[in-house]
Amino acid sequence: MPIHALKAACSQCNLQELCLPLGLTEGEIQRLETLASTRRKLKRGHHLYRTGAPFEAIYAIKTGFFKTDVLMEDGRDQVTGFQMAGEILGMDGISLEAHSCNAVALEDSEVCIIPFAQLEQLSSEIRTLQRHFHKVMSREIVRDHGVMMLLGTMRAEERLAAFLLNLSQRFTARGYSSAEFHLRMTREEIGSYLGLKLETVSRAFSHFQDSGLIGVQQKHIRILDSAGLKAVLSRTSPPVAAIPIAAA
Amino acid sequence: MPIHALKAACSQCNLQELCLPLGLTEGEIQRLETLASTRRKLKRGHHLYRTGAPFEAIYAIKTGFFKTDVLMEDGRDQVTGFQMAGEILGMDGISLEAHSCNAVALEDSEVCIIPFAQLEQLSSEIRTLQRHFHKVMSREIVRDHGVMMLLGTMRAEERLAAFLLNLSQRFTARGYSSAEFHLRMTREEIGSYLGLKLETVSRAFSHFQDSGLIGVQQKHIRILDSAGLKAVLSRTSPPVAAIPIAAA
DNA sequence: CGCAGTTTTGATTCATCTCAATTTGTGTGG
DNA sequence: CCACACAAATTGAGATGAATCAAAACTGCG
């Protein structure tokens, strides 16, 4: 568990606008900086934290890509989210003062460690920080509602379309191409997140490709027809309703 | 939209231990009380707030029962939760300063209105309140992860069993019978929450009854074999694996 | 350069949905 | 208090989307 103590330097971080410092003055950012002064590097496949681990800090992703998942006693598991640079990990742990899911790096990554007690202290002094932290937690709740909608009401291809559009949008917000990106997770992990089996995910990818909506080459995705993907989402009528040829 | 300005009196409320005041000293509770001094009564079927409404306050349920749901453009909707006395509603609105779901009373209900700006102010002064509010938000995130697990990995009867056990446990925490209760929502609402059609919910109820796990009479539920219900959840092997009679 | 993990694709099965009919319950007004 | 209308719940039969089982192809890592 290598913890590299490096200056975090929020003030020089290009993720300011996505991360906790959002909206703070320079002076306030410097105070936050001293608090989040430790970073931690993780190799691909390594855990940032595990279910049951005592909760002490939340983490801001500086570089890399993570998944969070929950395990049932009988071995079933559910990926609850994929997180990328600028997003906050660990808020699940506040409630019981122990983490309630696992966070795993899907590529070599680096996080800023933000000791929670100190964050609470500082946020009671800096109104903007307090408000922003509450927004970050609330955003997580809203995101979860979106996933419930996806899992509760959508068909396989709708789920995958929603997933791809969401990734695309988040990559865009980080200055990457919205049309072309590299998936860091396996088909099985996508399936777990979307409530599908890996074969179903694979078939949906193939079908989207055959329809000219996307280009797929293993983990490399190109979005060719983003409007078409959106149309998959808002299917008004049940799939391809059989249309009676004439009055029966 | 009738707003009855009544003294909230957290200090005399029997939900203290479940609600925001948890862990506060008497003096602190009195400060919280002045802040949450307004209540609002809602008739069954009425909205506490709707998607898009400006966010100003969160709500503590004093009496009654609510559902929250999210609507998609094409009309599909997903019930994201059922809330009962002592639980907090409205945190979805913090993120965008507008509500992102609907909250509907499923029976005549009463909530305490807690203006959010004032709550933030007070929580920056009372450490215990700040911490507890963060725990409440985090608990919501953890709960949502549980729902994702349910929607993503469980079969119909497992979902219903989990749902019933969860309700039972929450009624218990409020001093009601854990074995016998009245459902305030329709089969369709249960189905929406569990990602099932109402017919499937009804069939699962009937099957549980035939198996002697529960007694069902419309909305009245008696849990006859809570261990049996738990066993439905932790099915290690796929349902009732057909066992070969002899070596084929 | 080979092997293990990942992905794709096919054939079949099964759980849940859909459509439909009936029963039961609930609230309203005569 | 009863009858009516409407909403909710139950039950059945059949359709279907995704899971399962199985095999082959690809990839990239060591």
Side-chain angles (χ1 to χ4, degrees):
Chain A
M1 230 191 253
I3 300 186
H4 302 258
L6 305 164
K7 270 278 163 247
C10 295
S11 36
Q12 280 150 53
C13 181
N14 58 348
L15 294 165
Q16 263 183 56
E17 293 305 305
L18 288 163
C19 195
L20 267 191
L22 180 68
L24 300 190
T25 67
E26 270 190 43
E28 289 167 344
I29 290 183
Q30 273 165 30
R31 295 183 68 189
L32 178 60
E33 214 166 79
T34 53
L35 190 161
S37 61
T38 314
R39 291 195 229 153
R40 178 164 164 203
K41 289 191 170 182
L42 288 109
K43 286 263 166 232
R44 175 180 166 193
H46 286 218
H47 281 74
L48 174 58
Y49 55 80
R50 289 171 192 273
T51 304
F55 169 74
E56 280 147 13
I58 62 175
Y59 306 91
I61 303 176
K62 181 139 182 67
T63 62
F65 203 92
F66 287 80
K67 73 167 176 182
T68 46
D69 64 6
V70 183
L71 269 115
M72 267 178 64
E73 315 75 55
D74 63 9
R76 283 182 279 187
D77 80 334
Q78 172 72 26
V79 170
T80 54
F82 297 107
Q83 297 80 16
M84 52 178 80
E87 296 177 337
I88 306 293
L89 274 166
M91 297 177 294
D92 56 273
I94 302 171
S95 146
L96 299 172
E97 296 176 19
H99 286 288
S100 65
C101 64
N102 303 297
V104 184
L106 294 182
E107 63 181 26
D108 293 359
S109 302
E110 187 171 4
V111 299
C112 304
I113 302 178
I114 305 164
F116 190 64
Q118 292 176 52
L119 177 67
E120 281 190 324
Q121 172 61 43
L122 193 61
S123 82
S124 73
E125 295 169 25
I126 304 176
R127 181 54 54 98
T128 323
L129 177 62
Q130 179 193 38
R131 169 52 63 109
H132 187 57
F133 175 62
H134 290 160
K135 284 190 179 182
V136 168
M137 290 206 90
S138 173
R139 188 192 304 155
E140 180 69 15
I141 292 171
V142 174
R143 186 193 71 84
D144 291 348
H145 288 178
V147 177
M148 286 184 214
M149 165 69 77
L150 180 145
L151 292 170
T153 76
M154 294 189 190
R155 337 180 124 278
E157 297 198 350
E158 295 174 324
R159 297 183 197 186
L160 189 64
F163 173 70
L164 291 173
L165 289 167
N166 173 268
L167 277 186
S168 163
Q169 180 255 304
R170 284 155 74 199
F171 280 124
T172 309
R174 281 156 187 80
Y176 299 110
S177 164
S178 65
E180 198 157 351
F181 47 84
H182 191 83
L183 298 174
R184 280 90 210 237
M185 68 297 278
T186 66
R187 300 287 190 265
E188 186 167 21
E189 286 164 334
I190 297 174
S192 171
Y193 180 61
L194 300 179
L196 302 169
K197 290 296 162 183
L198 67 99
E199 295 95 327
T200 306
V201 173
S202 178
R203 276 184 245 272
F205 270 126
S206 300
H207 186 220
F208 283 169
Q209 181 159 48
D210 295 348
S211 314
L213 296 177
I214 63 175
V216 187
Q217 215 160 4
Q218 299 288 131
K219 293 197 152 79
H220 188 84
I221 303 289
R222 256 176 320 138
I223 296 188
L224 304 173
D225 178 2
S226 119
L229 274 184
K230 279 175 198 131
V232 171
L233 273 180
S234 50
R235 67 121 175 64
T236 322
S237 50
V240 192
I243 297 155
I245 307 291
Chain B
M1 227 190 255
I3 300 187
H4 303 257
L6 303 163
K7 271 276 165 253
C10 296
S11 37
Q12 280 149 55
C13 182
N14 57 349
L15 294 166
Q16 263 184 55
E17 293 305 306
L18 289 163
C19 196
L20 268 190
L22 180 69
L24 301 190
T25 66
E26 270 190 43
E28 290 166 343
I29 291 183
Q30 273 165 30
R31 296 183 69 189
L32 178 60
E33 212 165 81
T34 53
L35 188 162
S37 61
T38 315
R39 290 194 231 156
R40 178 164 164 204
K41 289 191 170 183
L42 288 110
K43 287 263 167 232
R44 176 180 164 190
H46 285 219
H47 281 73
L48 175 58
Y49 55 80
R50 291 172 192 271
T51 303
F55 170 74
E56 279 146 14
I58 61 174
Y59 307 91
I61 303 176
K62 181 140 181 66
T63 61
F65 203 92
F66 287 80
K67 73 167 176 183
T68 47
D69 64 5
V70 182
L71 268 115
M72 265 178 65
E73 315 75 54
D74 63 8
R76 283 182 279 187
D77 80 334
Q78 173 71 26
V79 170
T80 54
F82 296 107
Q83 296 80 16
M84 52 178 81
E87 295 176 338
I88 305 294
L89 274 165
M91 296 178 296
D92 56 273
I94 302 171
S95 145
L96 299 172
E97 296 177 17
H99 286 288
S100 65
C101 63
N102 304 296
V104 185
L106 295 182
E107 63 182 25
D108 293 0
S109 302
E110 187 171 5
V111 298
C112 304
I113 302 178
I114 305 165
F116 189 64
Q118 292 177 52
L119 177 66
E120 282 190 325
Q121 172 61 44
L122 193 61
S123 82
S124 73
E125 294 169 24
I126 303 176
R127 181 55 52 100
T128 323
L129 177 61
Q130 180 192 38
R131 169 53 62 108
H132 186 57
F133 175 62
H134 291 160
K135 285 190 178 181
V136 168
M137 289 206 90
S138 172
R139 190 192 302 154
E140 180 69 15
I141 291 172
V142 174
R143 185 193 73 81
D144 291 348
H145 288 177
V147 177
M148 286 185 215
M149 164 69 77
L150 179 144
L151 291 170
T153 76
M154 295 188 190
R155 339 179 121 272
E157 297 199 348
E158 296 174 324
R159 297 184 197 186
L160 189 64
F163 173 70
L164 291 173
L165 289 167
N166 174 269
L167 277 186
S168 164
Q169 179 255 305
R170 285 155 73 201
F171 280 124
T172 309
R174 282 156 186 80
Y176 299 111
S177 165
S178 65
E180 198 158 352
F181 47 85
H182 192 82
L183 298 174
R184 278 88 203 229
M185 69 296 279
T186 66
R187 300 286 189 266
E188 186 167 22
E189 286 163 334
I190 297 173
S192 171
Y193 181 61
L194 299 179
L196 302 169
K197 290 295 161 183
L198 67 98
E199 295 95 328
T200 306
V201 173
S202 179
R203 276 184 246 273
F205 270 126
S206 299
H207 186 221
F208 283 169
Q209 180 159 50
D210 295 349
S211 314
L213 295 177
I214 64 176
V216 187
Q217 216 160 3
Q218 299 287 135
K219 293 197 154 78
H220 188 84
I221 303 288
R222 258 175 318 137
I223 295 187
L224 304 173
D225 178 2
S226 118
L229 273 183
K230 279 173 199 135
V232 171
L233 273 180
S234 51
R235 67 122 174 64
T236 321
S237 49
V240 192
I243 296 155
I245 307 291

